[in-house]
Structures are given as C-alpha cells and as structure tokens.
Amino acid sequence: MISVNTDLTMRALGRIPRRCMGFLVCLPAAHLARPVISFAKWSRNMDTAAGASPTWEDMWSKGVKSKEKWDVGEASPTLMEVLKLKSLGDCSGQRVLVPGCGRAYDAVALAEYGFSSVVAVDLSESAADAAKQFLSECKSPAASKIEVVCADFFKLDLEPKADVIWDCTFLCALDPSVRVAWAQKTHSLLKPGGTLLTCIFPICDKEGGPPFAMSVPLVRSLLEPEGFQAVEVREDAADHGAGGGAFVAKTAFGRWTLKA
C-alpha cells in the first residue's frame, strides 16, 4: 500500500460535513477550474520502497461504516455484471485472490458464484476484523469458503497460487511508484494460464490520490510486459462507484490471461 503522513489531513477531512462528501468526485476537464475537495495532498511523503502503509489501518481503526468513504456497501457492480454474464465459466475447484478486500463484499460474491476457495487480503488489521465480522453476519453458506488474511500484498506468499485474481480499486490506491511492482507481484501470485480481472477505476481527469486516476492504456502498459494478454476489455462496464455514490467516475473492466 502507500505510506502517507495524514494526521492533519484526516482531522481536516473529519470536519467536512457529510453532505459535502459528494464533492469527492472525478469531474470532467471542463469542471476542473472549480474548487473541489480532492485527495491530491495524500500523495506527499509516501514511502515508495513498498506498497504497505499504516495509513489504511489509521483510517479503518477510526471506524469506516458501510457505504462511507470508499466502502461500497455491497459487492462491486462491476464484478456483479461480470458474474451475471458467466464469462468465467465453471470455477469449482478454483482459488481466487482478492487483494485490498475491505469488508469482503466481493469475496462473498465470488464464493457464491462457485469458487471453491477465496483468499481475501487486507493490510489493515481493522479492515480484516471488519471483514470477519461481515462474514459472520452475512448468513451466506458460501462464507465458509473464504479465508481472511491480514497481510501486505507485496510480501504475500500464496501456495497454491491463485487461478484468478480480482483487483478492484486496489491498484488505484497504490502510489504510482509501485505500479510496476504491483504487476510483477500479481504475476507471481497467479498460476500460469491464470486469469486477472481488473476493475479499472476511477477513469477521469484527476491529480493526485488515492485514489489515483486510472485508464485502460495505463493498465495495459503495466500488464503486457509481465506476460499478461488481454482477453476482454470493456470500457462501458457497470460503474463501480464508492461510498454510497459519494465518489463517482467512469469504470472499465479488463480480463487478462497470464501466458503459460
């Protein structure tokens, strides 16, 4: 993850009235001249040596409720659209990895779809605890197939490796300096011939982060040198959204195969 000195920033954000959080959006270029609240200053003082950061634990430990800030409150609409299309086929016997899982909404959706094993990873201990609590309360029989792991993605060892990795707003949360390392680590955690699913969000005109602005060409430029081949790219994917609609931006979906 990212390393950020955010004590003053978070106290300032804590004083923002809830009704103002709707301004945390990706605006088209025509509106960039208007003053908006942004996350640009969060990128200062980042530890570029690794992806991990205590920032996420700091934020989660203060209590992030469902549909607040980055919490969607349900499985990502982008993922649900993919699962509805059944383009993944029969996933019984397969293992899927979900980095930056948060409350593990997506992990439940993947388990219910038919994956035999779901590994949901988050750096924040409080986020992992929130995921475990959600799983205990969701009453889904598929929840028993989910393992919640509190770990740094960049130091994660996974054996057996994943058949599928679902990256949903994980890449956009990372400092740009570790994007190549993200692609390399993703490669190392996936079986040859495995599938990487990417929710490419937020696609917009935006400076700084997190979340940092994404694009299909950007993600392609990171993955192709690592041996990933695009199988399906849709720039009209169902919008991911975040925080109960407080953060909106265009979303694309990519399905990539790791060459054997």
Side-chain angles (χ1 to χ4, degrees):
M1 289 268 185
I2 50 176
S3 178
V4 190
N5 186 351
T6 60
D7 289 344
L8 293 177
T9 304
M10 292 309 300
R11 284 201 293 269
L13 285 174
R15 293 194 294 269
I16 299 172
R18 183 172 177 82
R19 65 179 180 275
C20 295
M21 295 303 289
F23 287 104
L24 297 175
V25 298
C26 283
L27 296 174
H31 296 283
L32 289 179
R34 300 180 183 179
V36 297
I37 299 168
S38 73
F39 294 104
K41 292 184 179 180
W42 286 23
S43 61
R44 295 181 182 177
N45 303 319
M46 287 186 175
D47 176 6
T48 58
S53 168
T55 298
W56 297 101
E57 171 60 21
D58 180 63
M59 291 188 290
W60 273 101
S61 65
K62 288 179 170 61
V64 177
K65 297 180 181 179
S66 178
K67 296 187 178 182
E68 282 188 349
K69 298 180 180 180
W70 59 85
D71 189 296
V72 181
E74 60 187 359
S76 168
T78 313
L79 175 62
M80 295 309 295
E81 180 181 60
V82 173
L83 299 183
K84 184 178 180 180
L85 293 172
K86 298 187 181 299
S87 57
L88 299 181
D90 182 6
C91 293
S92 58
Q94 293 190 15
R95 192 180 208 192
V96 58
L97 171 66
V98 184
C101 67
R103 276 197 169 82
Y105 305 122
D106 288 359
V108 172
L110 289 162
E112 291 177 340
Y113 178 79
F115 282 94
S116 296
S117 172
V118 182
V119 181
V121 178
D122 206 289
L123 177 68
S124 164
E125 184 176 355
S126 295
D129 289 343
K132 293 174 183 177
Q133 181 177 353
F134 172 74
L135 293 178
S136 69
E137 297 172 351
C138 73
K139 299 180 180 179
S140 172
S144 62
K145 298 188 290 183
I146 301 171
E147 178 186 6
V148 177
V149 179
C150 181
D152 176 4
F153 169 82
F154 291 92
K155 298 178 181 178
L156 182 66
D157 291 321
L158 190 65
E159 290 296 338
K161 294 184 178 182
D163 299 280
V164 176
I165 295 178
W166 165 236
D167 188 296
C168 181
T169 70
F170 181 64
L171 175 58
C172 74
L174 300 174
D175 184 76
S177 63
V178 298
R179 286 173 178 169
V180 172
W182 164 84
Q184 294 171 341
K185 186 63 180 180
T186 299
H187 180 146
S188 73
L189 294 171
L190 192 63
K191 291 180 180 179
T195 298
L196 169 64
L197 308 174
T198 55
C199 174
I200 304 171
F201 172 93
I203 298 176
C204 59
D205 295 305
K206 181 182 184 300
E207 296 294 331
F212 292 89
M214 293 283 107
S215 71
V216 171
L218 170 61
V219 176
R220 189 185 296 274
S221 72
L222 294 170
L223 293 176
E224 289 183 344
E226 297 302 321
F228 287 91
Q229 181 177 0
V231 176
E232 176 187 10
V233 176
R234 291 190 291 106
E235 299 195 43
D236 60 346
D239 288 339
H240 170 72
F247 192 100
V248 292
K250 185 178 178 182
T251 304
F253 168 76
R255 180 159 58 102
W256 319 79
T257 297
L258 180 60
K259 296 177 183 178

